[in-house]
Amino acid sequence: MGRKTVTFHRNQQDDSELRQVRSRARRDNTGTDRNTTASTTASSKGSQGPAFTSCRRALSQTEHEILDDNTHETGFNGDDGSSFILTWVGDGTGVILVLSTISAPIDSFLKGGSSRLYRSMDYGKSFRDVSHRIDHTFIRKEFGVTTGPGNSFHVILTADTPVVDNSGGIVFKSSDAGVTFRSVRLPFHLAQPIAFHFLIPDYLVAISIDGGLWLSVDFGANWRKVHDGAYSFMWGAGVTLFFSYSAVETVEADRRGELLLKRTEDLGMTFTTIAEEIFSFGYIGGFLITSVMDEQWSPRVIYVSSDQGNSFNRAQLPSATTEQFYSILDGDEVMIFIHVDNPGDTYFGTMYTSDDRGILYSRSLERHLFGGQRKSDFTNVTSLRGVYLTNKLEEDGRIRTVISFDRGGQWRLMGRPENAACGDVQNCNLHIHGEHSRYNQIVPMLPLSEPSAIGLVIAHGVVGDSLSATQHPDVFISSDGGYRWRGALEGPHHYRILDSGALVVAVEAQHEGQVKTIKFSTDEGQCWKAYNFTEHPLFFAGLTSEPGTKAMNISVWGYRPEDDGQPMWVAVTIDFTSILSRQCNSQDYEEWLAHSSPGGDPETNGCVMGYKETYRRLKKSSVCRNGRDYGVRKKQSPCPCTREDYLCDYGYLRRNDSSECVRQPNTADPNPEVCLNGGDEEIQTFGYRKVPGDKCEGGFTPQPMSEIIRPCGNKLSEASPANQLSPATHFDTPREKMVLILVVAGAGFFVLVAVVSAALTVRRNRNRTPTYRFSNLRVQDEGLTPDPDGTPRGHGALFHHHNSDDDLLNLE
C-alpha cells in the first residue's frame, strides 16, 4: 500500500460467468487513474474461528443522501483490456493515469496489441480518454507507467517498438502530469524501464538490450552512454550511482560471480571500481551490500559498506551450508534484519539483527518461518516505532505469531483480542496471516499500517492456539501499535486507511460473487456503517486511494458484462469529505504515551529503545477531518538504560527467563573475524551491545568481558589450529596470556608477508576466507519506508536480479 502504481487484472474464472468473453482485435475509441496490484482471491472457509462481537450502526438517511451525491461511477465503454495499470501522478494533485491493454505481442518482432490511456483530474471521479496524446501507440504493459519522484509531474510511457529495422526505442514523456506528451526516439532499445533519480526528476538512467548504461540529465531529451556491459544499477546517496558490469562481457557473468561493481559520483564522468568478483549487489538504508563468489560455483559471502563503497567488511553470521540461504528482511540507516535458514527443507531458520555498521549480528528469533515459496511473514508496523511482527514454526508444527516492540530485541505472543471468545482453547492468542496466506489465497491483503495513522494496524487473523489455513480469517484492528487488538469485521476484506486514520474503509472479499457495498468506520474500526455504492454489482478487481493516507476519496475497481457479453471495466469513486465535514480542532485530539501500560512505573512506562514518545492524536469519539495539512506531532524524553536496551553481542544469548546475556555454547564460529578497513582493530566485547538507535542515558552499563588488539592481514589457513583464536576469546590464565603474546609476536611476520602478497594479488576491500555461503539474499520491501513522523529512513532497496543461479540467489 502507499505505492504509486497498481495493476488490476480480470480473473479468468470470473470471465466464464460473463457468458463467453472473446478477445476483440480492435476497440472503439469511446470511453469515459497510481499503480497497485489487486486481484480477486479465495478464502479458505473451513472451520469457523472463535466468534467476536462486531459493532454495526445503521446509515442515516442524511448520510445516505450525502454519499449518493458524492459517488461517481465511470464505465469504460468498449474497453475489454485484460488489465488496467493505474498510476497516481504527483502528491495531492488528484491526477490519475490509467493504461489499458487488450493484448500484447508475443515478442518484440511481432506487431499487435492495443493500448488506451485515460486521465482523471479529480481523484478518479471522472476520466477522459487521452489515447490521442500518445498517437494511439501500443505501450509496453510490462514497463507500465513510470512516474517521477515525490510531487513531480514527470511521466514516461515506453512504446512497444520492434527491434528489427529500428535503431532505438520510442518513449512518450510528459512534464505536466499527462496534459501533453512528447515522443522521443531513443538511441538504444530498453532492456528494462527507465529509472528516475529518487529526488531529481530530470535525472534518468537506463540499461539497453546490449548492456549499455545510459544517462540523461534533461528528462530524456538527450542521452549519453557512459559504460558497456552493465547488468544492474542503483542510485546511492546524492547523485552517486552504483552499477555492476562484466569487463569482458562474459555470458552469464552474474551467475558465475564474475561481475565488477563501479561507482560514479559525477553522473558518469569518472568511475571507481569498488568491488570485484561479485554476484550481485544492493543498497538499502545507506548500506551497500555485495554478494561475492570467490571462485566459480564456490560458496558466497556478503560484504557490507556503510560509506558508499569506500570500504567493505564481511558480515559476521553463523556459517551456512549449501542447503541454507540468507534473506534480508528489512533495513534502515542503523540496522539490518536478516534471516539465516536452517539446513534442509525445514521452512524455518533464525532471525538476526545487525549493529549500526551492518557487520556484527545478534540472534533475535529462533524458528522463524520462511516457507517453501520463499515467502516470509515479517512485517514492519510503520505506525509505531520499533514494532515488528512475524510468524514462527513451533517444534510441533504449529505456526504462531510473535511481535516485538523493541526492534527485534525480544519477541512475544500476541494477546487475545478484547472482544473475542476463546471457548475451550487453552492457549488463546491472536495469530496474523501474512505473505504465506496471501500467496495461498487464504486472505486478500497483508497487514496494513501507515506512518501518519499513529498506532493503527489492520490485519487478517484467527484467535486460538495457532494459525491454520482451515480457519476462517477475520479482520482485527489495533489502535496502539499491536499491544491490544479488537475483532472488527467477520471474514476476509480489502481495506484502506484514509485521512491519516480518521477514516477506515473496507470491501468484503468475494471470490465467486459480485460486490456493491463498502463499509466505513470513523472510530478506528470499533463500529462500522455500510453503504451500497452501486445499483449494479460488479466483479471486484481492486480498491485504491491516493498514497499517503491524506485523501478522502476511495475507488472501487471491477468489471461487468456489456450487452454483447464482453467485460466492461468500471470505476466507482466515493468522496467521504462531506461525511467528515467538520475540520478537527484542538479539543478533538488527546495526548497519548506510546508503548505505555496502565499503572506502569512512571520512570520507565513507555520506554522503548531508550526514550518515550508522547503523540497528539485524534480521539476515537471525534468525528471530524484531519485534512491534508495534518502532521504527526510528538514529544520525546530519554529513559535510564536497562538490560532491555541491549542486545546480546555476537556469540552470546539470553538465559531462559532472564535478561542476562551469557556465552553461547557449541557455536561453530563463536568469535567474529573483524578487520575494519584493513587496519589493526581493538576488539572489546561486553557480552551486550546497545540496540541500534537506542537513546537511553545512564542506568545499566555492561562491563567489558575480553579485549584484544587484532593485527589485520594475518590470513591463517583454515586448517591451522591457530585460526581458532579470535578477538572474543577469553585470556584469563598466565599460560593463556603467554600464548597470546607469542601469537601476536608471530603475527608481525605474517603481516609483512601479507602486505607483500597483497601488492602482487590485490583483492580489493575483502579477505579470502569463504566461511559463509549466501545462496539466497532477499529484501522483502522496496522503496521509502518513513518513520511515523514522516521522515524517510532510506531511499534504496536491494535491486531485483532475475538471472539467479541454481542456488536461487535473488535480490528482491
Side-chain angles (χ1 to χ4, degrees):
M1 317 324 159
R3 294 184 178 180
K4 280 196 168 186
T5 296
V6 181
T7 302
F8 299 122
H9 298 283
R10 278 208 328 267
N11 190 302
Q12 291 182 351
Q13 274 185 318
D14 293 340
D15 279 353
S16 63
E17 301 182 33
L18 296 174
R19 302 194 282 272
Q20 275 206 298
V21 178
R22 301 180 307 276
S23 241
R24 292 184 294 213
R26 287 292 168 190
R27 297 174 293 189
D28 301 329
N29 285 327
T30 58
T32 330
D33 187 77
R34 179 164 172 185
N35 294 358
T36 294
T37 300
S39 62
T40 306
T41 55
S43 65
S44 177
K45 302 267 180 189
S47 59
Q48 178 68 37
F52 58 82
T53 302
S54 180
C55 173
R56 301 181 182 179
R57 292 177 180 166
L59 195 67
S60 70
Q61 183 62 34
T62 300
E63 290 174 322
H64 199 287
E65 292 174 356
I66 290 174
L67 288 173
D68 281 347
D69 291 339
N70 289 277
T71 297
H72 310 269
E73 182 170 324
T74 300
F76 295 82
N77 300 312
D79 197 318
D80 57 357
S82 59
S83 66
F84 265 36
I85 299 175
L86 180 149
T87 302
W88 294 85
V89 183
D91 180 19
T93 63
V95 175
I96 307 173
L97 294 177
V98 171
L99 177 66
S100 168
T101 304
I102 186 173
S103 61
I106 298 175
D107 57 44
S108 58
F109 294 95
L110 299 178
K111 295 182 179 180
S114 173
S115 295
R116 276 188 180 169
L117 184 65
Y118 302 93
R119 186 174 187 269
S120 172
M121 299 176 58
D122 50 14
Y123 297 92
K125 297 174 185 177
S126 62
F127 289 85
R128 290 184 59 193
D129 189 335
V130 294
S131 305
H132 62 281
R133 297 179 186 174
I134 56 171
D135 300 327
H136 300 280
T137 304
F138 180 64
I139 301 299
R140 296 185 65 170
K141 181 176 68 173
E142 70 273 22
F143 283 15
V145 182
T146 306
T147 57
N151 199 30
S152 72
F153 293 166
H154 292 55
V155 179
I156 294 175
L157 300 173
T158 303
D160 194 277
T161 309
V163 174
V164 177
D165 299 328
N166 287 279
S167 59
I170 296 175
V171 297
F172 292 88
K173 65 173 190 173
S174 173
S175 57
D176 53 14
V179 174
T180 60
F181 280 91
R182 177 186 173 189
S183 65
V184 176
R185 171 74 68 170
L186 302 176
F188 57 91
H189 286 279
L190 287 165
Q192 55 187 263
I194 293 172
F196 283 90
H197 185 273
F198 59 92
L199 287 177
I200 308 171
D202 283 343
Y203 288 6
L204 307 176
V205 60
I207 290 182
S208 60
I209 58 175
D210 59 356
L213 183 69
W214 295 77
L215 285 174
S216 172
V217 295
D218 53 10
F219 188 40
N222 297 281
W223 290 87
R224 179 167 52 93
K225 186 178 183 179
V226 298
H227 214 280
D228 289 310
Y231 274 74
S232 61
F233 61 85
M234 290 199 75
W235 289 105
V239 294
T240 300
L241 181 68
F242 302 105
F243 64 95
S244 61
Y245 77 101
S246 171
V248 293
E249 298 186 10
T250 305
V251 176
E252 295 186 332
D254 53 340
R255 298 185 63 177
R256 297 169 179 268
E258 297 176 355
L259 296 177
L260 289 84
L261 181 60
K262 276 193 174 182
R263 176 186 68 200
T264 175
E265 299 175 282
D266 52 14
L267 299 174
M269 303 305 295
T270 60
F271 302 91
T272 302
T273 300
I274 57 177
E276 300 176 359
E277 295 183 3
I278 75 165
F279 183 87
S280 50
F281 80 98
Y283 186 84
I284 181 170
F287 292 104
L288 180 62
I289 305 170
T290 61
S291 172
V292 178
M293 186 154 55
D294 287 300
E295 296 178 1
Q296 186 174 354
W297 311 121
S298 69
R300 298 175 182 81
V301 294
I302 294 295
Y303 288 85
V304 181
S305 173
S306 56
D307 57 9
Q308 300 292 297
N310 290 324
S311 61
F312 283 86
N313 292 286
R314 191 182 61 177
Q316 300 296 313
L317 285 157
S319 59
T321 69
T322 57
E323 297 177 315
Q324 298 172 264
F325 65 85
Y326 283 42
S327 174
I328 293 180
L329 303 172
D330 193 25
D332 57 21
E333 289 91 343
V334 295
M335 72 181 299
I336 299 171
F337 284 88
I338 192 166
H339 169 98
V340 183
D341 193 49
N342 271 36
D345 295 327
T346 60
Y347 301 118
F348 69 86
T350 303
M351 185 193 303
Y352 291 83
T353 54
S354 77
D355 64 355
D356 56 4
R357 298 172 299 184
I359 302 170
L360 295 180
Y361 288 79
S362 295
R363 188 183 303 253
S364 176
L365 177 66
E366 303 277 3
R367 301 188 67 87
H368 179 236
L369 179 67
F370 215 108
Q373 300 87 21
R374 298 297 169 92
K375 301 287 184 182
S376 170
D377 293 339
F378 184 85
T379 301
N380 178 5
V381 177
T382 60
S383 60
L384 193 61
R385 172 181 57 92
V387 182
Y388 295 84
L389 60 86
T390 193
N391 285 317
K392 62 181 296 188
L393 182 64
E394 303 287 3
E395 293 185 2
D396 59 6
R398 291 179 300 165
I399 297 175
R400 309 181 78 184
T401 299
V402 290
I403 191 168
S404 173
F405 298 101
D406 58 0
R407 302 193 66 166
Q410 292 182 322
W411 297 85
R412 68 191 194 191
L413 292 170
M414 301 174 71
R416 175 180 64 86
E418 57 189 42
N419 62 337
C422 287
D424 298 330
V425 178
Q426 292 184 346
N427 299 314
C428 186
N429 301 93
L430 175 64
H431 302 280
I432 299 299
H433 286 283
E435 186 65 60
H436 295 288
S437 297
R438 185 175 68 164
Y439 179 86
N440 292 307
Q441 298 189 346
I442 297 171
V443 296
M445 287 193 65
L446 297 177
L448 175 64
S449 60
E450 294 286 354
S452 64
I454 294 298
L456 186 60
V457 193
I458 311 175
H460 287 99
V462 296
V463 181
D465 66 350
S466 62
L467 196 64
S468 171
T470 62
Q471 290 176 300
H472 184 53
D474 297 311
V475 177
F476 295 84
I477 292 183
S478 174
S479 296
D480 58 5
Y483 284 93
R484 290 172 290 273
W485 293 81
R486 180 179 182 83
L489 294 169
E490 296 179 4
H493 284 71
H494 300 264
Y495 39 74
R496 289 291 186 276
I497 297 171
L498 303 180
D499 192 38
S500 303
L503 183 66
V504 179
V505 298
V507 173
E508 188 172 358
Q510 293 283 354
H511 177 60
E512 298 177 352
Q514 296 170 287
V515 300
K516 66 175 183 179
T517 302
I518 191 168
K519 304 171 185 177
F520 66 94
S521 171
T522 59
D523 54 11
E524 298 186 348
Q526 292 188 118
C527 287
W528 297 82
K529 295 181 180 181
Y531 168 65
N532 291 336
F533 57 82
T534 182
E535 295 180 358
H536 307 287
L538 51 85
F539 288 94
F540 181 86
L543 186 70
T544 186
S545 62
E546 183 187 25
T549 73
K550 296 285 188 181
M552 297 288 292
N553 297 273
I554 189 75
S555 295
V556 183
W557 286 79
Y559 48 93
R560 302 192 193 101
E562 294 183 89
D563 293 339
D564 61 355
Q566 297 291 335
M568 177 183 72
W569 281 95
V570 178
V572 181
T573 299
I574 307 154
D575 187 348
F576 283 92
T577 305
S578 296
I579 290 292
L580 297 180
S581 57
R582 184 174 66 85
Q583 181 69 42
C584 299
N585 57 46
S586 59
Q587 316 222 328
D588 291 305
Y589 296 92
E590 62 184 354
E591 299 288 307
W592 178 65
L593 177 60
H595 297 286
S596 63
S597 57
D601 183 347
E603 185 178 26
T604 60
N605 197 23
C607 289
V608 170
M609 297 174 62
Y611 60 103
K612 302 180 183 182
E613 285 182 316
T614 301
Y615 289 92
R616 177 180 177 265
R617 69 174 190 174
L618 192 65
K619 299 176 183 177
K620 292 185 181 64
S621 58
S622 295
V623 182
C624 59
R625 184 174 67 252
N626 280 313
R628 285 195 168 273
D629 295 333
Y630 172 80
V632 175
R633 298 184 188 177
K634 63 180 179 181
K635 295 181 291 185
Q636 295 182 350
S637 57
C639 299
C641 296
T642 66
R643 279 190 171 90
E644 281 68 34
D645 294 295
Y646 291 83
L647 300 172
C648 293
D649 210 345
Y650 186 92
Y652 290 78
L653 52 76
R654 294 190 189 275
R655 294 182 186 272
N656 291 334
D657 303 321
S658 170
S659 60
E660 181 183 1
C661 293
V662 297
R663 193 62 176 270
Q664 180 179 345
N666 304 321
T667 304
D669 183 16
N671 303 305
E673 179 182 345
V674 181
C675 287
L676 296 179
N677 305 323
D680 291 356
E681 173 100 353
E682 180 178 309
I683 302 294
Q684 251 189 2
T685 178
F686 296 79
Y688 301 83
R689 60 181 175 82
K690 187 175 285 189
V691 174
D694 194 293
K695 300 179 182 179
C696 68
E697 300 176 358
F700 172 75
T701 302
Q703 299 301 312
M705 296 184 180
S706 62
E707 181 176 342
I708 185 174
I709 302 295
R710 175 176 175 80
C712 290
N714 181 7
K715 308 303 179 189
L716 301 175
S717 168
E718 286 192 18
S720 170
N723 196 44
Q724 302 303 313
L725 296 176
S726 70
T729 303
H730 291 274
F731 298 95
D732 297 325
T733 67
R735 178 181 178 85
E736 289 174 333
K737 293 178 179 178
M738 179 60 68
V739 171
L740 173 61
I741 292 172
L742 293 175
V743 170
V744 172
F749 172 75
F750 288 102
V751 170
L752 179 60
V753 172
V755 170
V756 175
S757 176
L760 299 175
T761 58
V762 177
R763 296 280 183 187
R764 185 179 180 88
N765 291 329
R766 59 184 177 89
N767 57 43
R768 294 277 296 162
T769 53
T771 305
Y772 308 118
R773 177 176 180 80
F774 291 74
S775 59
N776 182 41
L777 178 65
R778 178 180 300 230
V779 159
Q780 297 293 88
D781 196 14
E782 296 184 359
L784 282 169
T785 305
D787 287 326
D789 62 359
T791 303
R793 301 188 319 176
H795 59 265
L798 290 183
F799 190 82
H800 188 157
H801 198 49
H802 289 284
N803 298 321
S804 57
D805 69 353
D806 294 337
D807 294 320
L808 301 177
L809 176 72
N810 294 309
L811 298 181
E812 296 181 355

